[in-house]
Amino acid sequence: MREKRHFAARGRFQKYQREVDCPAIAGRKAMKKVLCGILALALLFGVAGIEAASAAALKNEYKLTMNVSTDTAWGKGGVKFAELVKEYTGGKVNVKVYPNAQLVGGDQMRQAEMVSSGAIDFMLNSTINIAPIIPECNAFSLPFMFPSYEAVDAVTGSAGGEMVLKALEKHNMVGLGWGENGFRELTNNVRPVAHPDDLKGLKIRVVTPIYVDIMRALGANAIAMNWGEVFTALQQGVIDGQENPIVGIIIPNKIYEVQKYLTNWHYSYDALILAVNKQIWAGFDPEIQEQIKKAAKDAMRWQIYDVSRVGLKDGIEFLKSKGMVITDPTPEQLAAFRERTKAVYDKWVQNVGPDVVKAFEEAVASYK
Ligand code: X2X
């Protein structure tokens, strides 16, 4: 009886056990299933999450600043770069070009600063505009540094060019390539300028302090002004002249409509640098970096050799047809300009950095 009860009890116990155990077992199994499910989902969303994170790391739009219009030789280079980036990255990276200094309220000098801080992603900018924060860039502006375009190419492909690009890195930017605004030629509305004495008293618009010094050394009144204001200032006679490249700027901006005389003196060369903010650059994976580098190389090569340097001869003829009087200074006249600006050259060597100037001079000498 007892045994029966015992067994009965045992049976109940076992039944109880089964009843207690079963849900537990079932629960563990269910738990396992749930855990497996969660794990699977976690893996699924994890992977998707990583993909989403890397996709999210690519912004919908990368801003590229320029302070000129997209019609200029320079501006066309920026547009080409954006097109090639889109093509080479299969549409993953979208660079949008903002011309005419619109991201910096017309203040062309702020572009480099804003790329350095990350407020703007890319710039295709003149070395002149970058020089106030990176003095090495002024090496290009030293008066009569370059005798020819070939000498320019020798420099940008040399240790000197490399030193300038390296200097960008100290300011949180990565240089992706060289473009070209070109040799800066003088225009004015008062008289032909063939000798320094001809510049005396003319109000000439310039961009930065090194050019103020050069114009003053030549006897002109230098007036610093943003590019966006120059056409109107010329039109209204606030200034008598300005200096900029023929194909790059003078023709596309119709400067011939408001200027009569042009001096083809190649007194200063204006290089462009295509650069990107360092953190933005680091955010691209290596494959995208390679694609962007290739876009930069191809776009800038096209900009220099297929846009900026073609049409120079035709450009002069075009300006003549528009009524401009072109002065080609003789070697003696050029020597006079060089002589008058020598002290400015020497003064600015310290600002640029003597080692950079030396590297530039060596590259130029190797090519002369
Ligand atoms: O301001 C100029 O003259 C220009 C357009 O050439 C530069 O941005 C340096």
Side-chain angles (χ1 to χ4, degrees):
M1 189 64 193
R2 266 174 111 181
E3 259 186 32
K4 248 183 159 173
R5 275 208 304 269
H6 173 75
F7 283 112
R10 230 181 122 184
R12 275 200 308 275
F13 178 68
Q14 281 172 340
K15 188 168 177 263
Y16 171 73
Q17 274 289 302
R18 272 201 304 277
E19 279 166 4
V20 171
D21 275 353
C22 278
I25 290 165
R28 275 205 297 273
K29 279 187 183 160
M31 196 102 92
K32 264 187 195 164
K33 272 190 190 162
V34 169
L35 282 176
C36 282
I38 288 173
L39 201 65
L41 281 175
L43 277 174
L44 197 71
F45 283 109
V47 170
I50 290 163
E51 267 172 16
S54 68
L58 286 178
K59 301 198 279 183
N60 289 338
E61 176 187 301
Y62 291 87
K63 292 180 168 48
L64 182 147
T65 179
M66 306 190 298
N67 58 296
V68 293
S69 81
T70 51
D71 299 332
T72 57
W74 164 353
K76 286 177 183 167
V79 172
K80 186 72 157 182
F81 172 66
E83 281 168 11
L84 293 183
V85 167
K86 190 171 180 192
E87 186 186 324
Y88 295 170
T89 64
K92 281 191 198 149
V93 178
N94 169 34
V95 173
K96 177 149 188 233
V97 172
Y98 288 84
N100 301 319
Q102 50 183 278
L103 292 180
V104 286
D107 185 351
Q108 63 197 67
M109 237 59 79
R110 283 184 57 216
Q111 297 174 100
E113 213 176 283
M114 286 180 74
V115 174
S116 171
S117 75
I120 300 176
D121 308 303
F122 289 87
M123 66 179 180
L124 179 56
N125 202 1
S126 156
T127 40
I128 296 172
N129 299 332
I130 308 171
I133 63 164
I134 306 181
E136 286 87 342
C137 285
N138 265 329
F140 288 97
S141 302
L142 289 169
F144 300 100
M145 162 67 86
F146 300 98
S148 64
Y149 280 110
E150 289 73 20
V152 166
D153 292 346
V155 165
T156 50
S158 76
E162 209 37 54
M163 285 160 120
V164 176
L165 293 182
K166 273 266 165 299
L168 285 181
E169 287 187 21
K170 282 188 270 165
H171 289 266
N172 208 35
M173 291 181 272
V174 177
L176 298 173
W178 297 103
E180 171 169 287
N181 194 16
F183 277 113
R184 299 179 74 87
E185 319 299 4
L186 179 73
T187 67
N188 87 92
N189 243 347
V190 179
R191 55 182 168 256
V193 173
H195 186 273
D197 293 344
D198 300 328
L199 260 166
K200 205 169 169 44
L202 297 192
K203 284 178 277 177
I204 305 294
R205 176 268 175 175
V206 291
V207 196
T208 47
I210 186 171
Y211 290 99
V212 171
D213 280 2
I214 296 170
M215 286 303 160
R216 282 195 183 143
L218 294 172
N221 290 338
I223 298 171
M225 188 184 284
N226 276 309
W227 175 243
E229 295 156 34
V230 173
F231 192 91
T232 312
L234 288 171
Q235 203 168 31
Q236 296 178 347
V238 176
I239 47 176
D240 298 315
Q242 62 86 47
E243 39 77 69
N244 252 300
I246 292 175
V247 173
I249 299 284
I250 290 173
I251 293 177
N253 284 281
K254 299 191 165 67
I255 296 300
Y256 51 82
E257 285 183 354
V258 287
Q259 294 278 269
K260 179 81 181 158
Y261 305 102
L262 183 142
T263 304
N264 199 17
W265 62 345
H266 282 29
Y267 89 119
S268 175
Y269 176 78
D270 189 0
L272 302 179
I273 298 180
L274 177 58
V276 56
N277 171 273
K278 219 187 223 175
Q279 282 73 43
I280 291 293
W281 185 244
F284 294 128
D285 67 38
E287 194 189 358
I288 287 183
Q289 285 185 350
E290 282 312 308
Q291 291 159 341
I292 294 177
K293 273 193 209 160
K294 183 168 157 45
K297 194 170 148 223
D298 293 352
M300 292 302 99
R301 185 168 292 171
W302 175 83
Q303 192 271 336
I304 294 176
Y305 298 104
D306 295 336
V307 184
S308 174
R309 289 188 198 173
V310 296
L312 253 183
K313 203 165 154 285
D314 290 351
I316 300 267
E317 290 312 311
F318 174 81
L319 292 178
K320 281 183 188 161
S321 79
K322 290 289 176 188
M324 281 197 99
V325 175
I326 311 291
T327 302
D328 288 309
T330 63
E332 294 72 37
Q333 288 167 332
L334 281 178
F337 284 119
R338 192 187 290 265
E339 190 50 39
R340 289 271 182 104
T341 52
K342 179 152 187 334
V344 177
Y345 187 110
D346 294 344
K347 171 187 163 186
W348 280 85
V349 167
Q350 291 313 314
N351 166 275
V352 172
D355 49 342
V356 177
V357 177
K358 190 161 169 274
F360 269 52
E361 287 171 344
E362 280 170 6
V364 168
S366 76
Y367 205 82
K368 259 183 191 165

